Amino acid sequence: MEAALISSAPRLRERYRLVRRRSVQLCEPLTPEDMMVQSCPEASPAKWHLAHTAWFFESFVLKEFLPSCRVFDPDFPWLFNSYYQSFAEFPEKRLRASFSRPGLGTILSYREYVDDAMGRLLGGDPPEEALRRIELGLNHEEQHQELLLTDIKHALYTNPLQPAYLDEDLEEEDRNGTTVPLEFLSYDGGLVEVGQRENSGFGFDNERPRHRVWLEPFQLASRLITCGEFAEFIEDRGYERPELWLSAGWDAVQECSWQAPLYWRKSDGEWSIGTLRGNQRLHRLANTPVAHVSYFEADAYARWSGKRLATEEEWESVAENVPVIPDRGNLLESGRLGPAAAGAGFDDLPQSFPQQLWGDCWEWTASAYLGYPGFAPLEGSLGEYNGKFMSGQMVLRGGSCVTPAGHIRSSYRNFFPPETRWQFSGIRLASS
């Protein structure tokens, strides 16, 4: 981030307050027992998310820029470290559910302690590097807000009682919307620039440097693939036809016994889908985007359709012309907490623009997660934030229904292993 674009301390102080408060608010529907559950290897307990995000500010901001502030607990610097090998040792990720101590009350006290110290730092005249790290920490916490919701969805669904995160249901029209035809919009391609623009605000190191790429003419689908459309793939024996799958994808189908997206369950001949608002029948969600599919499933569906997935450069070249504003896109602020049908009121755009670029589901691309030409990680332990994962991962774009609106932009690169399904990940088709 350019020095001239560093946010002022008063602006960051207000943003800090809002972001930190939202993390705790997201836990209000949960019991302390809910917040201990770690139901799959990718997930973490909600209590751990609250502690780790406080740890980030204590470790990378307060420790260096407010030395008068003592560490809250001498065990916390290693206990709540996630993966920063050069910072401190840390417990195995799969053991996080065993952290019955410290208790939730202590974790909330830890957050208050860190918030008070951060208030003192931001109330003074912090150096530019401190402001940079605070902005990074706030974006880091927004990532964990999204992870907290995806993790608790998995935790509640795997509970035999399958309790809902939110009890109130959506109205029928809000839940399913109407059918919007799937069309393909044409783009000329050519020499384009991708990556974060200079002087455009915060961005992660993996979004830089901006560089030029050549794109052949391509087409991009006008909306995401729906649950109803994906059900046709299932009915056509899509999960039983190896010719549709990459080799590693077919291995995953066999080893994991995939028959449908995650959270789909068939009973009495009808599919139901687990949501943060409880289980819903497929026919009630038929027009909403299919979610919780792996890259392998997205690629197999594209092959079955006679299409393909877009590259991340193709996606960004289109999305860069569609501004992100809180009320354009089904993001966390909508309160929906689930994908919405195209035409549900989140896309006030001309027909020449694709719908659902922002929110609803992260869109798998055909691009492997690699560094851009000239990529340089941050210095020190923070250099482990993104760069160390540039192997065996695929890029996703666009955000989801649980991504904070202020967190997303056209250059944002999410990434997960291709077998990942617990995220709100979906499908947008492309063709040449």
Side-chain angles (χ1 to χ4, degrees):
M1 183 167 56
E2 297 294 325
L5 290 173
I6 298 173
S7 298
S8 66
R11 178 192 169 280
L12 273 181
R13 186 164 59 244
E14 177 62 15
R15 175 158 154 69
Y16 181 92
R17 183 184 66 82
L18 293 174
V19 170
R20 297 282 286 172
R21 182 175 61 185
R22 182 165 56 201
S23 295
V24 176
Q25 289 174 334
L26 292 175
C27 294
E28 289 177 356
L30 305 177
T31 68
E33 292 81 4
D34 291 333
M35 296 177 67
M36 278 289 297
V37 180
Q38 182 180 9
S39 54
C40 66
E42 300 96 333
S44 298
K47 190 175 76 170
W48 185 90
H49 285 296
L50 292 183
H52 171 71
T53 47
W55 169 90
F56 191 95
F57 286 107
E58 183 183 61
S59 299
F60 294 120
V61 180
L62 296 176
K63 181 179 179 181
E64 183 164 345
F65 300 104
L66 195 66
S68 62
C69 178
R70 294 184 177 182
V71 172
F72 180 82
D73 186 296
D75 284 325
F76 284 14
W78 64 267
L79 185 64
F80 294 117
N81 182 9
S82 54
Y83 54 71
Y84 297 88
Q85 300 276 359
S86 60
F87 182 84
E89 295 183 355
F90 48 86
E92 290 185 48
K93 182 174 182 178
R94 64 184 177 85
L95 298 178
R96 290 172 185 170
S98 67
F99 296 179
S100 60
R101 305 292 178 88
L104 179 58
T106 302
I107 297 304
L108 294 176
S109 296
Y110 179 36
R111 289 181 65 87
E112 292 176 1
Y113 180 83
V114 168
D115 290 346
D116 288 343
M118 288 293 296
R120 296 197 301 274
L121 177 63
L122 284 167
D125 186 22
E128 289 184 354
E129 181 59 25
L131 297 178
R132 286 191 184 93
R133 294 194 188 184
I134 293 168
E135 186 68 77
L136 175 61
L138 293 173
N139 278 269
H140 169 260
E141 183 140 357
E142 287 175 327
Q143 287 180 318
H144 278 271
Q145 289 168 355
E146 178 168 1
L147 289 169
L148 191 155
L149 287 169
T150 53
D151 292 354
I152 200 63
K153 178 176 181 178
H154 193 274
L156 296 178
Y157 187 80
T158 56
N159 185 315
L161 299 176
Q162 296 193 333
Y165 172 76
L166 293 180
D167 291 328
E168 63 269 25
D169 197 2
L170 296 170
E171 296 295 329
E172 178 65 30
E173 183 176 354
D174 292 334
R175 183 191 306 111
N176 201 17
T178 58
T179 302
V180 174
L182 181 66
E183 300 175 346
F184 283 84
L185 307 177
S186 296
Y187 299 92
D188 294 334
L191 190 63
V192 301
E193 290 189 345
V194 296
Q196 188 194 23
R197 292 179 179 272
E198 292 187 9
N199 304 318
S200 61
F202 175 83
F204 288 111
D205 56 2
N206 65 1
E207 300 173 49
R208 301 187 293 268
R210 190 166 174 85
H211 59 287
R212 292 178 297 176
V213 297
W214 178 266
L215 299 179
E216 296 296 331
F218 67 97
Q219 293 183 318
L220 194 65
S222 59
R223 59 163 172 80
L224 297 173
I225 294 302
T226 66
C227 292
E229 289 165 337
F230 198 86
E232 295 176 10
F233 169 77
I234 298 173
E235 293 303 313
D236 197 35
R237 300 173 51 250
Y239 283 90
E240 303 172 35
R241 296 165 56 182
E243 71 272 15
L244 297 175
W245 296 80
L246 294 169
S247 177
W250 183 246
D251 290 344
V253 170
Q254 301 302 301
E255 292 170 8
C256 303
S257 299
W258 289 347
Q259 298 178 2
L262 185 62
Y263 304 124
W264 285 43
R265 180 175 296 177
K266 201 167 193 177
S267 178
D268 298 327
E270 184 176 2
W271 289 106
S272 64
I273 302 174
T275 78
L276 282 165
R277 298 176 183 272
N279 290 328
Q280 303 283 348
R281 295 292 187 180
L282 170 60
H283 71 269
R284 303 179 74 186
L285 299 177
N287 295 329
T288 64
V290 64
H292 303 291
V293 292
S294 66
Y295 168 79
F296 293 134
E297 289 163 292
D299 179 76
Y301 181 90
R303 293 168 190 264
W304 175 78
S305 303
K307 304 295 183 181
R308 62 174 176 85
L309 302 179
T311 67
E312 65 168 321
E313 293 86 1
E314 289 172 335
W315 190 96
E316 185 175 333
S317 71
V318 174
E320 195 169 50
N321 298 310
V322 184
V324 187
I325 56 177
D327 58 351
R328 177 172 292 162
N330 176 25
L331 294 145
L332 177 61
E333 285 78 359
S334 76
R336 184 185 179 90
L337 304 185
F346 294 105
D347 291 280
D348 183 20
L349 295 168
Q351 290 185 350
S352 58
F353 287 97
Q355 298 186 54
Q356 300 174 311
L357 281 174
W358 307 121
D360 289 301
C361 295
W362 287 102
E363 302 176 25
W364 286 108
T365 73
S367 299
Y369 176 54
L370 300 170
Y372 286 158
F375 166 76
L378 300 176
E379 295 182 357
S381 295
L382 288 173
E384 298 186 51
Y385 198 109
N386 285 311
K388 66 190 286 183
F389 300 108
M390 291 177 174
S391 174
Q393 318 251 12
M394 301 301 290
V395 174
L396 304 93
R397 295 299 195 111
S400 81
C401 54
V402 292
T403 305
H407 186 70
I408 201 66
R409 53 198 165 271
S410 61
S411 60
Y412 191 104
R413 307 172 77 202
N414 203 354
F415 53 92
F416 286 108
E419 68 274 12
T420 301
R421 306 211 305 166
W422 108 111
Q423 271 294 322
F424 284 92
S425 47
I427 308 170
R428 186 186 297 273
L429 298 178
S431 65
S432 301

